[in-house]
Amino acid sequence: MEAVVVDAGSKLLKAGIAAPDQAPGLVMPSKMKLEVEEESQVADGAVVEEVHPVVRGFVKDWDAMEDLLSYVLYRNIGWEMGDEGQILFTEPLFTPKALREQLVQLMFEKFNVSGFYDSEQAVLSLYAVGRISGCTVDIGHGKIDIAPVCEGAVQHVASKRFEIGGTDLTNLFAQELKKSNPSVNIDISDVERLKEQYACCAEDQLAFEDIGSSCQQEKHTLPDGQVITIEKERYIVGEALFQPSILGLEDYGIVHQLVTSVSNVATEYHKQLLENTMLCGGTASMTGFEDRFQREANLSASAIRPSLVKPPEYMPENLARHSAWLGGAILAKVVFPQNQHVTKGDYDETGPSIVHKKCF
């Protein structure tokens, strides 16, 4: 049985049999719907409550995570009770040791897996483009991770994590749309879809400041029939990544953060890291974002200008969205056949702490 790869994010869970040249077989929301019965509402039936097991990259509700993985592995992947296979998880930057141990414990004690491995998303994303050294800028739903990677090892001292992400950009977009459409009530799920459809980046800061007078107006009909207008709001989403003050943050933009992160690594690695920069996450697919990032990088005061890695032609489209999963599929083809993974015997002998010795 082929190994399964799971990349569980705050918004989406990606899972499937390890196939390095194919997109994950399953992409679904990282949430569970629970029925909560309350006495006052028995007559109307149960109340449905949404539970999000993963918040800003880390598992927060282990019971819900167990239910979600059970649905994924047994009902979608096709595992059978008593005949579970091997599994590899992608791991966000700065995952606490306790969470790593809880995951391996869940897999062996609840799911009875035959083998386990996990690896950091930054390393896996670079594997997906054929690199073992480089720097990833991962803009997820709930966080932004910037991680220099040297010879397959994340340089944690130089890495940065920001507690903002796609969800914060969605909220910003909602606020801006409300200002220009005060009489329209827009559900946040509709805002999310509008962001994915309309959000884009201006060529540079000057172009963003000039947009007010030249932006073409678009009219969009919401599912409930309400009509909204979208103008310069579409540009503010991307601009916030280059001017965090828009989000109320006193911080530098994303390109400056990348350069300062790499500056904390030994000088001999700077060229290799900056010239192999990779953008990951759904937000990185925003129209104009890659061009704006490269333009800002070309203006950088750094002696070595960051340049973006182009994905191999044989890899699936939308590589940025699935890069960690695809890298996991590549790694799974190595660690399990070569017995570099955590086995049931390893776990029984050492306990959950074995994950720190065998998965790095």
Side-chain angles (χ1 to χ4, degrees):
M1 186 188 296
E2 292 282 354
V4 171
V5 179
V6 176
D7 178 20
S10 307
K11 181 185 177 185
L12 297 174
L13 181 144
K14 300 152 195 172
I17 302 299
D21 57 349
Q22 298 175 23
L26 175 69
V27 179
M28 62 174 285
S30 295
K31 62 184 179 184
M32 295 293 292
K33 290 185 176 180
L34 301 180
E35 288 189 354
V36 183
E37 292 187 4
E38 298 180 3
E39 288 184 17
S40 61
Q41 294 172 306
V42 169
D44 300 323
V47 179
V48 176
E49 179 183 301
E50 278 192 357
V51 178
H52 296 265
V54 183
V55 178
R56 298 206 181 269
F58 298 141
V59 177
K60 299 296 184 184
D61 187 330
W62 284 97
D63 290 337
M65 190 65 183
E66 182 181 341
D67 290 341
L68 183 61
L69 289 172
S70 182
Y71 172 80
V72 167
L73 296 171
Y74 294 115
R75 293 188 57 179
N76 283 277
I77 301 297
W79 276 9
E80 294 182 2
M81 291 280 189
D83 188 28
E84 291 84 358
Q86 299 165 325
I87 195 163
L88 183 149
F89 279 85
T90 76
E91 180 182 290
L93 187 66
F94 299 134
T95 298
K97 283 188 174 183
L99 293 188
R100 298 187 78 200
E101 292 180 12
Q102 279 181 279
L103 180 60
V104 73
Q105 184 176 4
L106 177 69
M107 286 296 104
F108 280 110
E109 297 187 11
K110 298 289 186 179
F111 288 88
N112 196 34
V113 298
S114 58
F116 174 91
Y117 202 84
D118 73 2
S119 185
E120 291 186 276
Q121 292 166 354
V123 174
L124 297 177
S125 290
L126 286 170
Y127 285 169
V129 291
R131 305 290 195 279
I132 60 171
S133 296
C135 198
T136 59
V137 179
D138 188 347
I139 311 169
H141 182 64
K143 47 79 182 177
I144 297 175
D145 290 339
I146 298 177
V149 178
C150 299
E151 304 295 327
V154 174
Q155 305 301 294
H156 291 103
V157 173
S159 298
K160 299 183 177 188
R161 175 186 165 96
F162 303 93
E163 295 280 315
I164 59 169
T167 185
D168 304 283
L169 297 176
T170 299
N171 291 335
L172 171 66
F173 194 38
Q175 291 168 17
E176 295 301 314
L177 287 174
K178 190 65 179 174
K179 289 177 187 175
S180 54
N181 299 269
S183 62
V184 180
N185 292 316
I186 314 174
D187 185 83
I188 198 70
S189 60
D190 289 330
V191 176
E192 184 79 36
R193 285 189 286 271
L194 289 169
K195 183 187 76 173
E196 291 176 4
Q197 183 176 348
Y198 290 103
C200 54
C201 276
E203 288 186 3
D204 51 35
Q205 186 173 337
L206 193 60
F208 173 73
E209 290 167 357
D210 289 342
I211 276 167
S213 57
S214 60
C215 186
Q216 185 177 353
Q217 185 183 89
E218 297 252 8
K219 288 192 180 293
H220 183 95
T221 304
L222 297 171
D224 61 4
Q226 297 181 95
V227 177
I228 62 167
T229 58
I230 303 172
E231 293 183 79
K232 61 182 180 182
E233 299 88 3
R234 66 168 67 178
Y235 290 95
I236 202 164
V237 176
E239 195 65 26
L241 295 168
F242 299 96
Q243 295 190 66
S245 58
I246 292 170
L247 286 165
L249 302 173
E250 294 182 8
D251 224 330
Y252 291 104
I254 197 163
V255 174
H256 187 278
Q257 298 289 1
L258 166 67
V259 172
T260 55
S261 177
V262 170
S263 71
N264 290 315
V265 180
T267 309
E268 62 264 30
Y269 290 109
H270 288 186
K271 182 178 173 66
Q272 191 176 27
L273 292 172
L274 289 172
E275 291 184 352
N276 290 285
T277 296
M278 184 177 183
L279 301 178
C280 321
T283 302
S285 302
M286 187 192 312
T287 301
F289 177 73
E290 188 175 308
D291 290 341
R292 172 67 180 276
F293 188 97
Q294 189 63 71
R295 187 174 283 105
E296 297 266 336
N298 291 340
L299 297 172
S300 168
S302 168
I304 302 166
R305 306 281 167 77
S307 56
L308 299 176
V309 175
K310 294 296 180 186
E313 291 182 3
Y314 57 82
M315 294 302 275
E317 290 184 14
N318 283 332
L319 177 69
R321 292 179 181 272
H322 306 313
S323 58
W325 187 91
L326 290 163
I330 292 168
L331 184 60
K333 293 288 188 182
V334 177
V335 294
F336 292 113
Q338 295 185 6
N339 294 317
Q340 297 172 1
H341 59 284
V342 179
T343 65
K344 185 73 166 70
D346 293 331
Y347 180 80
D348 290 341
E349 181 180 339
T350 309
S353 64
I354 186 66
V355 70
H356 310 306
K357 297 175 184 174
K358 298 204 75 170
C359 304
F360 49 84

